Amino acid sequence: QSSTVFKWLRGRIVMWGLMTVFTACVAVGCAAGPPTLWFSVCPGDVESRDTADVSHVTESFQTVHTAAIALKAARLGGHSGDITVSLCEGQHPHRAPLVITPEHTSDVGRTSFVGAGRGASLNAGLPVANWTAKQLTPSLRVFVASIPTTAESRQLWVDGVRGARAHAAPPACSGGPVDPATPCPALIGGTLTATGYTDVPTTTVDGVTLGQWLIGTEFVYGRGASGASWTEPRCHVTAVAPGSAAATLNISMDQPCWSFATNKGTQSVKHPSDIENAVQLLNTPGEWFGDWANGTLYYVPLPGQQPDTIVAVLGTVAAPTPPAQVETVAAIRVLSGAQRLDFTGIGVEHVTWLQPSGSGGFVDLQSGFFFTRLANGGNGPLHGVPGAMWLSGVKDVVIQNCTFAHLGLTGIVADGGSQRINITSSTFADLSGSAVSLGNVSQANLPPPTQDQQFLVESNIISFTGQEYRGCAGVFAGYVALTSINYNAISDTSNGAVCIGWGWGATNTMQQNSVSYNHITRSNTVLFDCGSVYTLSAQPNSEVAYNYIENQVLLYGSLYHDARSSGFHTHHNVIVGGPMWLYLQWGPLGAVNHVTVENNFHNTSVVGGCASPAHADTCQSTGFCPTKYPPSTCGAVLIRDNVQINGSVWPAAAIAIEAGAGPRSGSASV
């Protein structure tokens, strides 16, 4: 790339001279402006320049990174007009982050990254080939492949399907079909201590007797294994020793993960519901294990798969950036101050995130936001699962017709005071985290110039989020204002589909947010105590309207206004099936207030919280809540003119809401 850059710089003086002339002409009206720059990127291209038409300068590059160097040089050289970086259709190997700084952008022209044809994919994956069949045990045939000993990942995709890390739990407790009435059983016993477990009986787990093989495994605390049914913490085993009694073990857990996980009050973990990442647990088709130290992958084939025909890809890390609190792994990172950017037809896939494999593990509080530890040993701020695209303090960005798929993290994160961000007509599928995460969760009262606000998330297709970090929402928004999450199709989310708000009643500057015209199917497939649409805290002049919500799997309400939600008008939604159509929080964190729920259609009678007659007084009284609850503003909760449908015939108004929900016709994602 260095020779490419020097080659590109030769002759640059001539080009800047032309551009200077055009810029000068603009001042006196003798020309329309500087020439449009068009940077073409294709892995097989011969790198070249074409200046025959001085109004349209074209240059060719083999990687988007060298094109970005040229782009920055053009901006620093004085070009303020539009610049387009066009990536040829197909796969672009992506082994380092694309970092876009303010120097790449202009306050006059737009900077565009465009995928030609059917789109260009930045693929961070490591292809794995040369598999051979091996009889691992008399009853288990596996495929084995060699990989570099520098490789490590938390995800393997085979023939386009995410493999399951070797694990012990039955499907109902590892992301499969759920029986909501049955908590996940504990896989080990023993007594919890400050360092782990003592006197754990050496029983069998998934047919394997507990022993030294547990070292390096990851304990997963799913539904019923912690006090928080909306989270799923993960911590690693560091040591195993004989217990004080016969046939028992003492198990030491990694720090600070264990400290985080056992000091969450009523949310603290108990005994694991799953154990992952041991070759001894390989026994089910689709499972895999990586022996990173020895450079070996093991995979249990699905029926019909052959070692010489499977297409396997390991997720890789695009950009570890120590000593960050959260390992920065974004394939596309846009830094604070950048502006006026477009991304069209760009895909990102096969990016992993390795921080949960470290000593901090992954201990989440809500919506995938997890605890961190500072270098001085103190507790750090909550951080969200990072994004394959990360916009921090960025303004005026359009992301459209893009694809974020097969990712070991979240699709897009926009925070740090980002404003006027449009995410439209894009596809998000098979993500370990959320599809989109907007705003922060630690600064509730930022002034408007630095607040996260004016987001539009519209006409996207989102499916199978939270495939690994199951507390994540399909779309999450923290302390945001003037944000619209509308006309999306969202399905099969491990937790809530759309979660907006933070703070549990904290004073904040959230306002005028909208969750409307979405088609939501099968939210809360693994965790519960969330909803298809979930809100927190005061958000004046906000609404939840005209959504079509069907078949939510687990509790609670398909429409769920949590602690001290206020300022919402929730109306003209259709709720089909699900365990509960409406939940209004009434508990110790404070009741909802100033919420109107009206003109909704539903075919189940179940409601919860102060939507139920038994607790109605906690939301509908004036002044303060009854003395048995903490003091908090109550009142002005109206539940009226909602229609329960008995039978299969729905009124025309409900059918019209269904027809109007989801991506708009003509949007690129349809």
Side-chain angles (χ1 to χ4, degrees), residues 285-434:
E287 287 186 341
W288 68 280
F289 171 74
D291 181 354
W292 312 118
N294 294 301
T296 305
L297 275 183
Y298 299 86
Y299 172 70
V300 183
L302 295 169
Q305 288 182 325
Q306 299 299 324
D308 56 346
T309 59
I310 62 171
V311 177
V313 182
L314 270 178
T316 67
V317 176
T321 309
Q325 275 294 311
V326 177
E327 182 185 3
T328 302
V329 294
I332 301 173
R333 185 178 180 189
V334 188
L335 302 186
S336 181
Q339 60 182 318
R340 298 178 62 79
L341 281 155
D342 299 307
F343 297 90
T344 304
I346 302 295
V348 183
E349 57 184 325
H350 300 136
V351 181
T352 193
W353 175 47
L354 294 177
Q355 185 167 334
S357 297
S359 61
F362 181 82
V363 181
D364 49 334
L365 177 68
Q366 178 153 312
S367 296
F369 281 77
F370 61 95
F371 295 90
T372 62
R373 180 64 54 88
L374 299 174
N376 63 11
N379 288 337
L382 290 170
H383 280 292
V385 175
M389 175 183 282
W390 180 19
L391 314 174
S392 180
V394 179
K395 293 179 172 61
D396 299 300
V397 177
V398 175
I399 302 165
Q400 60 182 347
N401 196 25
C402 291
T403 300
F404 297 82
H406 309 316
L407 292 171
L409 63 177
T410 287
I412 299 173
V413 171
D415 59 14
S418 292
Q419 298 181 356
R420 298 183 297 278
I421 311 296
N422 290 5
I423 304 169
T424 64
S425 302
S426 295
T427 299
F428 301 81
D430 182 22
L431 307 166
S432 289
S434 297

